[in-house]
Every structure is written in C-alpha cells, then in structure tokens.
Amino acid sequence: MNQATPHVVARVGAFTQLLSSTRRGARLARLLAVTELRSWGVSQDLTERAELVVAELTANAVLHGRVPGRCFRLTLALGPAAGRLRIEVSDARGDLHPLPRPTDTDPLGTTGRGLTLVTALADHWDCIPYPPSGKTVRADLLDTSPWPPGLDPTSPTILGISTGGPRR
C-alpha cells in the first residue's frame, strides 16, 4: 500500500495551427511542421517524409480548397508508442475531394503528381468530412527508424521502472 507506483510518461506530440490559404501559408505550414517535429526529437527520415507530405497537402488546400476569407488548418499528432505521425490538413471546400491522378498522364506535365507523392510517402491517407462544409485530408506515416537513446517509449527510464542496477 505504501509502494511507489511507476509513472508512465506518454511522449505524445500535438500541434495545430490555422494558416492563411495562400502560397505563403502553405510554405509556413511546411516550415512549422519541420520545426515542431525536430523539437519532438523525431527521426530525420520521418521528418523529411512529413515535410514533403505537408507541402503537398497544404499546396492542395491552397490551390483547390481555398474559399475567400477562410483559412486552412494543419494538425500534427505524434504517437511514439505506435511509432505513428498523423498529418491532417483541413480546408473549407468539402465539395472537392482529392483523387490521385491516373498514371497515363502527360509525362512532361508540371501538375497533378502531389497525391501520387503522398501515396508513395505515407503508409495510409484518406479524406473525411470536416463540418460544416469542409474536408480533412489526413496521412499516417510510420516511423521505421530505431528510437534514439532516451526516447524509446519502451525503455525502462521512460516507463518509470527501475532497472535495479547501481546508480552513479
């Protein structure tokens, strides 16, 4: 009854920001996402993949989901125990849903490859309604790199368990 209970430290990152539906807002979203992921200690591989996915989803929100006077929302949620990063971009155009472009398009074209990139970089992506009239495109990225020392969610230190070894 008088025993100390171990405290589980849940290192979960969450970030949400409203940004203007402009090219500058999309660029800022990418820069903010990278800064936030680095501050959470996310692996370089996952950060780079997330940077590209955020860039594509926010560019789509600005180009195809823009409604004058309305912003778009960027949300990042990191669940390190599952090794998953969820990226969500919400815009005001619920009537336009993203569709990957067919593969038989013009090889010299300069547009239409964004969702193909998202499909290649993300482990899963989908689109859901964002009430009252918008949509949220979300992508899940799994971190396959090893955890850096001190951030492994299964390590005894993070779980608050004593290893019983000598303390120095």
Side-chain angles (χ1 to χ4, degrees), residues 6-83:
H7 295 291
V8 177
V9 177
R11 293 185 183 260
V12 176
F15 174 82
T16 299
Q17 182 68 49
L18 284 175
L19 297 143
S20 66
S21 292
T22 61
R23 292 185 335 191
R24 182 174 285 176
R27 179 178 180 270
L28 182 58
R30 179 181 55 83
L31 295 171
L32 288 171
V34 169
T35 301
E36 196 66 28
L37 293 174
R38 285 182 180 159
S39 75
W40 293 342
V42 171
S43 72
Q44 184 69 24
D45 174 64
L46 183 58
T47 300
E48 289 173 358
R49 288 175 33 215
E51 179 179 13
L52 292 171
V53 170
V54 167
E56 292 301 331
L57 295 183
T58 57
N60 283 350
V62 168
L63 291 173
H64 307 294
R66 185 174 188 275
V67 172
R70 301 285 302 272
C71 298
F72 71 89
R73 178 186 311 272
L74 169 67
T75 302
L76 305 174
L78 178 66

Side-chain angles (χ1 to χ4, degrees), residues 63-139:
L63 291 173
H64 307 294
R66 185 174 188 275
V67 172
R70 301 285 302 272
C71 298
F72 71 89
R73 178 186 311 272
L74 169 67
T75 302
L76 305 174
L78 178 66
R84 184 187 81 179
L85 172 67
R86 172 163 285 176
I87 300 166
E88 296 181 352
V89 177
S90 303
D91 64 50
R93 293 288 305 268
D95 57 327
L96 293 176
H97 291 277
L99 296 171
R101 186 173 231 188
T103 56
D104 62 344
T105 59
D106 179 15
L108 299 177
T110 58
T111 62
R113 292 180 179 81
L115 289 177
T116 303
L117 275 172
V118 171
T119 301
L121 294 169
D123 295 286
H124 173 77
W125 73 270
D126 61 1
C127 180
I128 59 171
Y130 183 78
S133 62
K135 69 178 172 298
T136 296
V137 180
R138 56 189 184 180

